[in-house]
Structure formats: structure tokens, C-alpha cells
Amino acid sequence: MADPAMSVSPYWELTFDADGDVDQGERDRLLREARQRGVADLIVFSHGWNNQRAGATRLYSRFFAPIPRLAPRAKIGYVGVIWPSMEFPDQPIPDFARTPATAARPVAPPALDADTRHALLDAFPGNAPVIDQIARMLDQHPPQDAELEEFGRLVRTLVEVVPPGPQALFGADTLAEGVPQCEPRMFAVGCTAEMCGQFAQALDRLAAPQSTGPVREFALPNPWKGARELLRQAAYYAMKRRAGTVGERGLGPVIGRLAAVAPEVRVHLVGHSFGGRLVSFALRGLPEGVRSVKSVTLLQGAFSHYAFAARLPEDARSGGVLQGQQNRVDGPLVCCYSHFDSALGTLYPLASRMADDACSFAAADLVRVLGDKWGALGHDGVRAVPGTPSLTLDEALNSPLPASGCVNVDACTVVCHGAAPTGAHSDIVHPELARVVLAAGRIGRPAAASASPV
């Protein structure tokens, strides 16, 4: 149901559950009213990490607000996707400018605060006893190794997918997200102490002041210091899996049904963070022959920068999980990225590396962990897709965008600020980025004026 405080009209919402099932009343309302309201261009926006519907709706209202002024003659409709994602309220994504007095403190408190507990309950309903036991163990730090392994078992219980649930099909979490595996190594039985110890070392190193001198040796921290990070990464992995599920099984088929009843409506997908993963997987869920998606704009997308690659740099026999899906778009797939995004530049590659069952991580390996192999496209753009142009934001706004294929846009001139601890990752509400969405979809422009490639 539309929020009365929404800044634009007509506006619809599409609510999906964790398995990608849509609220049928909302879907039918959109299918019925889009043609009735004379919509020519429909902008569909998916949030990423988020705890509540109200937060997602506020994001949509703020992002959409300048669009009627920027394209006053366009007949635009707006859709906000609501899906069961979550964030840890105290995401410890560091700015790395810590004083010696604060550097020795833990990156995050060991216990689960009330906000985090409620977020977990919302994201994983019916698991209150498991979450309560996890909270007690994080408070108490029991010294026995067996207790740490029990903590790992509880975390696995919280995020596991019980077959034959559809989310099991979206669990790949490897280099390019294209090689299926049962579960990441960090959740494997018997690995909890090792993984927590490695997370603790990594977080200690990230919390230390920057130094240009040689790496100093230090005592190994208590592995319980990394236990909270294990829980955080488990929730992260579950949300990543869920975004793919909702996109392919939920949003893609809805777009297909809209194309059947209102073929004249041009659809433009926009996704932030994991929402970028969601709208990208929606391309895989489009029915055969549907060409109504005219543009995709990814804002700080939280998935592999090799996702669209047909061949991986380190394994030419494999491709990304979304290889070739940009060809399902009857227009460009635009990836806006920023090197100021510390969420994607630090913890995303750390999580990707820790999910690989053939690799381990040590604090001294930090630079290599954050290298090309484990990057997110919201941090450095689409990789290994031949012919992908790289534009500055100014170039993207003042020259016609390519008519098709992947396009990288460096948005660091606007995506560069943000309150701690998430940094620039959520710094996406800018008129310039709204203009990118309009430019990608050729909304409000004569079609002939936008067909020239860069």
C-alpha cells in the first residue's frame, strides 16, 4: 500500500517474502492501475540492507523526489520493492582514522544490543530461542572450545535453508558467485574457532592506526572477539542468498506479467546494495521473450564485480552467475560505484574470501584480501566484460549513454560521505544519481537523441 508521505505519484509497493512470493493484492493493483494511470516509464527501486518498511519507503521518497522536476513531461510511475532484508544497527565498517586511545578497544561490543536482536528476529522469525542463546554466549565468552563450536552450530541453525526451500538454489557465494556449494567454509562444522580467530585478527588490524612502517607482530586476540563478526557475516550471507531468490522468483515474474497486460510500459530497474543483486537476478527470472526492461541502474551494488563476466580472469572455464544477463535489458546496465564505499571495499571482500572453502585469511594478508579477486562492483565497477566503457559522473550526465551493454560510472564525486559506521555506502540520495537513472532509461528524452554509443 502506498505511503501517504511519498513524494511522487503514482506510487506502488511490491512486498515479497523470503522465498520470493509476492503480495498478490499489491501485484494485481500494479498490473491493473499502471495502464489506467497512463504510465509510460515505470521506475522499480529495490532497497538493500534495511530493517523496516518505513526506512525503505523514506529512501524511495527521497530518491524519487527530484525526478518529476528533472523530467516534467514524462509519464512516470514508481514502484518500491519491499523484501525481508536486515542490517546490523552498529555495522562496524571503519573509517580507519582512529586514535591510539580508541584503537585498542573492540570494534564492536560483544553482546547483542536490543536493536540488533530485534533486527535478527525480524529477519529470521521463529528463532527467538536460538537468538537468545547466541546473545548469552556473546555476553559470557565461555572459555571451552566446545562452547565456541556450539556457538557456530547456533549460527548455522539460524541461517540454514531447509530443503526443498527455493533459497537453497541461491546459496553460491564463491569468487564470481557462479560455483554452487553447500555452505561457506566459515559455517562448516569444526571451523568456528579458526574462523572467529581470523575475524578477530582482521578486525584488530582494521582498528589499528595506519602505519607506513613494517607490520608488527602482536598477540592473537580472543576468538570470541570475532564471534560477533561470524554472526554478522552469516546474516550477510543469508541476505545475499535471499536477494537472489526474491529477484529471480519474485520480481522477474511480476515484470513478465506486467509486460503481458501492459506491453507499452517501459520498465527501469534500480537497486541499492543487495537491492542491486535483487534487480539483477530479476533479469534471470524474466519470461522468455520479454523485452520490457529498458534500463538497469545499480547503486553501490553489493555483489561480485565478475558477476556478468562470461570468463573469469583466474578460470577461463567459468563465468559469473549473471553472465550474459545484461543482454536481457533492452538498453544499458549502468553500474554506479565509488571507492569511498568502505562497506564494499573492506567487509564485502573479507566475507567473500572467508566463504571460499579453499582459502584462509590472516591479518597480514589484508591487502591481498581486498584485491581484485574479491571485489564488489559497487566499489570498482563491472569487471571482465569486454567493451564496458568507464565514465565519470559528469560524462554520464552530459553525453548520451550507450544504447546497450554494461556501463561503469564513477560516482565518487557525490557518493563520498556518510555517517559512521557505514560510510559512503548509503550515500546515494543525490539528484545526480536520479539523473543517471533517467539517462539510462532515456526517460524524458527523444529516443533518437540517446541512441549514440559513447
Side-chain angles (χ1 to χ4, degrees), residues 298-341:
L298 307 177
L299 305 173
Q300 304 311 115
F303 58 110
S304 171
H305 55 198
Y306 294 131
F308 294 98
R311 296 291 182 269
L312 302 182
E314 298 195 12
D315 184 2
R317 298 168 300 176
S318 300
V321 70
L322 295 170
Q323 58 178 297
Q325 291 302 315
Q326 65 270 24
N327 298 324
R328 303 296 307 273
V329 184
D330 190 23
L333 184 147
V334 178
C335 172
C336 293
Y337 69 94
S338 172
H339 67 271
F340 289 113
D341 189 334

Side-chain angles (χ1 to χ4, degrees), residues 43-62:
I43 302 176
V44 181
F45 196 152
S46 175
H47 66 82
W49 289 307
N50 201 287
N51 286 330
Q52 296 178 347
R53 177 187 295 266
T57 304
R58 284 193 299 271
L59 169 64
Y60 301 149
S61 181
R62 293 172 60 215

Side-chain angles (χ1 to χ4, degrees), residues 18-328:
D19 290 332
D21 295 321
V22 67
D23 181 304
Q24 295 185 15
E26 292 179 344
R27 178 201 62 196
D28 293 346
R29 187 177 305 114
L30 170 64
L31 298 179
R32 180 176 65 251
E33 295 180 0
R35 169 171 276 185
Q36 292 175 356
R37 301 290 293 269
V39 171
D41 292 281
L42 187 70
I43 302 176
V44 181
F45 196 152
S46 175
H47 66 82
W49 289 307
N50 201 287
N51 286 330
Q52 296 178 347
R53 177 187 295 266
T57 304
R58 284 193 299 271
L59 169 64
Y60 301 149
S61 181
R62 293 172 60 215
F63 189 89
F64 290 150
I67 290 180
R69 172 179 54 82
L70 294 170
R73 291 183 293 276
K75 297 178 180 180
I76 303 174
Y78 306 85
V79 173
V81 173
I82 308 295
W83 63 287
S85 181
M86 71 160 286
E87 66 177 343
F88 272 62
D90 65 336
Q91 288 282 356
I93 293 149
D95 292 326
F96 306 126
R98 309 212 176 184
T99 65
T102 61
R105 297 175 186 170
V107 173
L112 286 186
D113 57 274
D115 288 343
T116 304
R117 183 181 180 279
H118 288 314
L120 288 168
L121 287 170
D122 288 342
F124 304 102
N127 283 283
V130 173
I131 293 170
D132 288 342
Q133 180 62 13
I134 286 173
R136 282 193 292 270
M137 298 185 83
L138 287 173
D139 266 333
Q140 297 168 2
H141 290 193
Q144 298 85 3
D145 288 345
E147 294 295 330
L148 199 56
E149 291 301 330
E150 172 63 10
F151 175 83
R153 186 192 68 80
L154 292 169
V155 170
R156 288 192 297 275
T157 298
L158 184 65
V159 303
E160 70 182 353
V161 174
V162 179
Q167 291 189 62
L169 301 175
F170 298 88
D173 192 18
T174 55
L175 168 61
E177 307 174 5
V179 182
Q181 58 185 41
C182 295
E183 61 181 11
R185 179 176 181 250
M186 62 181 165
F187 304 148
V189 175
C191 289
T192 303
E194 177 192 356
M195 295 295 103
C196 289
Q198 291 172 3
F199 276 128
Q201 291 180 56
L203 292 173
D204 264 7
R205 187 173 179 87
L206 292 178
Q210 292 294 296
S211 171
T212 58
V215 177
R216 294 177 296 176
E217 296 297 328
F218 55 90
L220 294 178
N222 185 336
W224 278 104
K225 190 175 180 181
R228 184 184 176 90
E229 188 60 30
L230 181 72
L231 173 62
R232 188 189 315 276
Q233 297 296 350
Y236 162 97
Y237 177 77
M239 295 306 105
K240 179 178 182 179
R241 181 179 59 211
R242 189 174 291 178
T245 305
V246 174
E248 184 168 337
R249 297 191 73 255
L251 182 57
V254 170
I255 295 171
R257 295 190 66 162
L258 178 64
V261 300
E264 72 281 3
V265 175
R266 305 169 72 248
V267 176
H268 310 277
L269 302 179
V270 183
H272 170 236
S273 187
F274 276 146
R277 178 177 167 89
L278 189 154
V279 300
S280 297
F281 269 78
L283 299 174
R284 268 196 354 186
L286 292 176
E288 189 68 29
V290 170
R291 300 291 291 173
S292 60
V293 176
K294 303 301 179 180
S295 68
V296 175
T297 305
L298 307 177
L299 305 173
Q300 304 311 115
F303 58 110
S304 171
H305 55 198
Y306 294 131
F308 294 98
R311 296 291 182 269
L312 302 182
E314 298 195 12
D315 184 2
R317 298 168 300 176
S318 300
V321 70
L322 295 170
Q323 58 178 297
Q325 291 302 315
Q326 65 270 24
N327 298 324
R328 303 296 307 273

Side-chain angles (χ1 to χ4, degrees), residues 434-448:
R435 289 176 60 196
V436 170
V437 172
L438 296 175
R442 305 186 293 279
I443 302 173
R445 293 184 180 182

